[in-house]
Amino acid sequence: MKVSTSALVKRSAIVVHRWLGVSLCLVFLLWFPSGIGMMYWDFPSVTEANRLDRSPALDPSTVRLSPGEAYATLGEAQVPAEIRLNTFDGRPVYRFQTGQGEHIVYADTGEEQLFVSNEMVQRVASAWTGQPVNAATVEAVEEVDQWTVGGALRTLRPLWKYSWPNGEQVYISGDSGEVVQYTTTASRLGAYLGPIPHWLYFTPLRKHPPEWSRVVIWSSGVGTFAAILGVTIGIWMYSPSKRYRNADVPTSIPYRGQKRWHTVLGLIFGVATATWAFSGMLSMDPFPARTGGPAGSDNGAWRIPEALRGDVQMADVAVKHPREVLARLENLDVKELEFTTFAGEAAYLATLASGGTRIVPVSGEPDFEFDRRRIVDVVTKAAGPGGLLGIGILEQYDMYYLDRRRQRPLPVILARLNDPERTRYYIDPKTARVVGAYSSRNWVNRWAYHGLHSLDFPWLYNYRPAWDIVVIAFMVGGTALCVTSLILAWRVLGRKLRLLLPATRRGAVLNEDLV
């Protein structure tokens, strides 16, 4: 009997979809439930904010050297790009950022921090957790483990790990003496429920970056094709006129049992599955040429961040000693002072224990934020005549500047440039820093990745728990789809294995769950 081309194509598509499902059902079953975990838990890490939070407040009596005096001990001719005053190992230090990297000079003695002793590492570990070091288990990290497998931590050696009975773990660099990783029992559990399975961050795979990248890209790429193929087959097989019959009852789907559930769930959640797999692949940047560069990279928009934050001048630093600045803020616990400039005027930016900031001009009184009108004037001048489409205060997150945990600064000044890329800058008046940027060059990252993968649309994202309910509903639906895939994959493999066994080959019956 001659088989029509349409039937042959349909049968071939079903076979391809079936075996792609067998190959990838477990991977997708990892991705969907862990997506719920990703909504609430991050992979453990240590940020500069974490370090400041666990450091002592600056004591004015211990800051004996001025920034100029401390920098002179280095013998550097180059002006530092950045100057910060905070603490290290319980003592005040200046951190000078130059072309050769960061230099740390103690503000009480003028000594440069160069050598990290075992005793220093122990003090740092103990201070971080507030527990005695003799209660911890100490080990040298020779090979990457689950918590040092990503980024720079993978190659950072020597590295020391301190583990306390309550589950706290501190990783300290033997070169810098800084805490570079910190985990607790809760943070590790959260990582196992979210980021680790979702990113396929399993140590044996992740410690080989090229191979890990290829596995994620190909799995998500092939998974996208399998999902699209499955939706196509489902629509192809679906009969609005209910030409199929199940137990003498008309039906639109020619299957029963798990295949029927798989078809129904695929028709409902298949498109979302395809978009999530595809947008997940985009997170790995499989097509590097698509971005075209940062916002405003070649249209002169870069002048705006430069105009807001100019270069450090050592002569300006000498005008006011940090002790005077701390004295002005004596009722506040100051964790860090950063020397900065705004519109050509020097100032100290103080970071407080509460996470807030204060501005102390070298000539002037402390304030909560920079003058908003001056920020507008600086941006307008830097953009040039006709360079702005508009500038104003943004009180709520918009579609290009948002945060589901609401930790990004608000309000901000939004500057919309009149350039081909429609560049947008978001400026925090408390620091005069650009805290967000967007241009049309970033649309793939914004919409095809973040939009499709996180559903971070402002009309949904800003109204939690509505966003949580929608995303969890889709994740549960996707999980159910994957469970049916797993059951069907088990059946397919079981049939094939039974056919290979002589004792069962004769009685094998092919069951497609057709009605």
Side-chain angles (χ1 to χ4, degrees), residues 85-101:
L85 173 64
N86 49 42
T87 59
F88 173 72
D89 192 23
R91 296 168 59 188
V93 294
Y94 288 106
R95 297 178 185 266
F96 299 103
Q97 195 69 40
T98 68
Q100 287 74 43

Side-chain angles (χ1 to χ4, degrees), residues 397-452:
Y397 296 121
D398 67 7
M399 66 181 65
Y400 302 113
Y401 179 77
L402 66 173
D403 182 1
R404 72 173 181 269
R405 292 173 182 167
R406 311 195 72 82
Q407 294 178 348
R408 300 183 79 176
L410 279 176
V412 294
I413 296 174
L414 168 59
R416 297 182 294 113
L417 274 62
N418 185 22
D419 62 352
E421 287 82 23
R422 292 295 187 261
T423 306
R424 304 163 71 96
Y425 281 120
Y426 299 84
I427 303 160
D428 182 8
K430 293 183 178 180
T431 61
R433 289 184 177 139
V434 173
V435 291
Y438 175 80
S439 80
S440 59
R441 297 181 177 192
N442 310 125
W443 76 267
V444 171
N445 185 63
R446 171 63 188 94
W447 297 114
Y449 170 39
H450 287 288
L452 294 179

Side-chain angles (χ1 to χ4, degrees), residues 71 214 230 282 337 429:
Y71 192 65
R214 284 194 289 268
L282 292 182
L337 289 179

